[in-house]
Amino acid sequence: NYVVSDAAVNGRIYKWVAPINGVSQGSYKPVLLLITPKKHQLLSLGMVYDIDSSNQIKFEGAASNFDPNLFANNSNQEHWGNAFRMDFQNIITIRKAVDTSTIFHPTIKNRVYLERVSSHFRAIAPYRNIEFARDWNIDTTKKANDLLLGYKSSIQIAPKWNVHYDLDYYNRTNQINGHRHILGTQYSYKGFTIKALGNVTFSNNIN
């Protein structure tokens, strides 16, 4: 029922406008938005198991409870969310015929992982790459279930030369479904480091 007045005074003046047939004619109300007390709880459990010197399994699960208004006495199941991630890593050492401590052995590191996040999960601190949302072109303000599958392989060809390849599949409910390929290399020589990286993403928007 209030509009901004045209009065030439310092500051902003609001003027009351009478409703017409019960319909407000203004754009403002004399109200103050109160910030409600909130509750945010997070429980996380993790495990690392070394199968042997070359194979390792990691697992982490989490549950969150976020209540945006403690004044409300209703119990909403949507306050609860869950997430989990599982990693498996394998290291392969390519040994030569003569095995001495002075000989470099090329190594191949392979890693596969699975990450699942429910739409109501609320993390206390960011746990993904800061560029994750922009890389996949997603709207993080909308709640959605996340599924991320990945494979990473890194080859240490020489003490100062490394090549790696990453493959990711990502699905976000009602937003995106796609996969990404990353190929890179790094070489160091006499104090200089040369890096090259290529990235291509294929995705479909889901509406």
Side-chain angles (χ1 to χ4, degrees):
N1 295 326
Y2 288 81
V3 296
V4 177
S5 174
D6 296 329
V9 296
N10 292 332
R12 178 176 289 186
I13 302 298
Y14 297 92
K15 180 176 63 176
W16 183 80
V17 179
I20 299 178
N21 297 326
V23 179
S24 299
Q25 302 300 305
S27 301
Y28 301 91
K29 291 182 179 181
V31 297
L32 179 64
L33 180 63
L34 297 178
I35 300 177
T36 60
K38 300 173 176 58
K39 178 175 68 175
H40 194 176
Q41 298 174 316
L42 181 69
L43 173 65
S44 176
L45 297 175
M47 178 191 72
V48 178
Y49 176 65
D50 294 323
I51 302 174
D52 51 39
S53 60
S54 301
N55 298 279
Q56 184 184 77
I57 294 178
K58 293 182 180 179
F59 175 82
E60 183 175 4
S64 68
N65 178 22
F66 179 74
D67 189 345
N69 185 5
L70 291 179
F71 286 148
N73 55 11
N74 60 322
S75 178
N76 195 334
Q77 295 299 323
E78 293 185 356
H79 294 166
W80 288 90
N82 60 81
F84 75 88
R85 181 184 175 100
M86 184 170 61
D87 290 70
F88 173 75
Q89 180 174 285
N90 167 259
I91 301 176
I92 301 174
T93 302
I94 303 175
R95 301 189 180 277
K96 300 181 181 180
V98 179
D99 187 7
T100 66
S101 59
T102 60
I103 297 178
F104 171 77
H105 300 289
T107 58
I108 302 175
K109 293 182 179 180
N110 297 302
R111 185 161 67 96
V112 293
Y113 53 89
L114 166 66
E115 184 178 297
R116 184 75 169 86
V117 182
S118 71
S119 59
H120 300 296
F121 179 76
R122 294 287 295 267
I124 292 179
Y127 61 94
R128 283 175 171 166
N129 188 319
I130 193 172
E131 299 292 338
F132 185 88
R134 190 173 70 172
D135 288 343
W136 290 101
N137 192 29
I138 59 175
D139 183 1
T140 57
T141 61
K142 297 180 180 179
K143 295 180 179 180
N145 296 317
D146 275 7
L147 174 64
L148 179 64
L149 297 171
Y151 167 75
K152 297 180 182 293
S153 182
S154 175
I155 305 175
Q156 193 70 36
I157 301 175
K160 297 182 180 181
W161 185 18
N162 175 274
V163 177
H164 66 90
Y165 169 73
D166 301 350
L167 170 63
D168 290 318
Y169 167 78
Y170 181 58
N171 178 271
R172 186 173 177 84
T173 306
N174 297 326
Q175 285 196 39
I176 193 173
N177 183 65
H179 54 95
R180 178 177 62 180
H181 305 262
I182 300 176
L183 180 63
T185 184
Q186 177 175 312
Y187 181 76
S188 300
Y189 180 74
K190 292 185 178 180
F192 293 92
T193 300
I194 301 173
K195 296 182 179 180
L197 185 68
N199 185 333
V200 59
T201 302
F202 302 92
S203 63
N204 297 316
N205 291 328
I206 304 174
N207 297 320

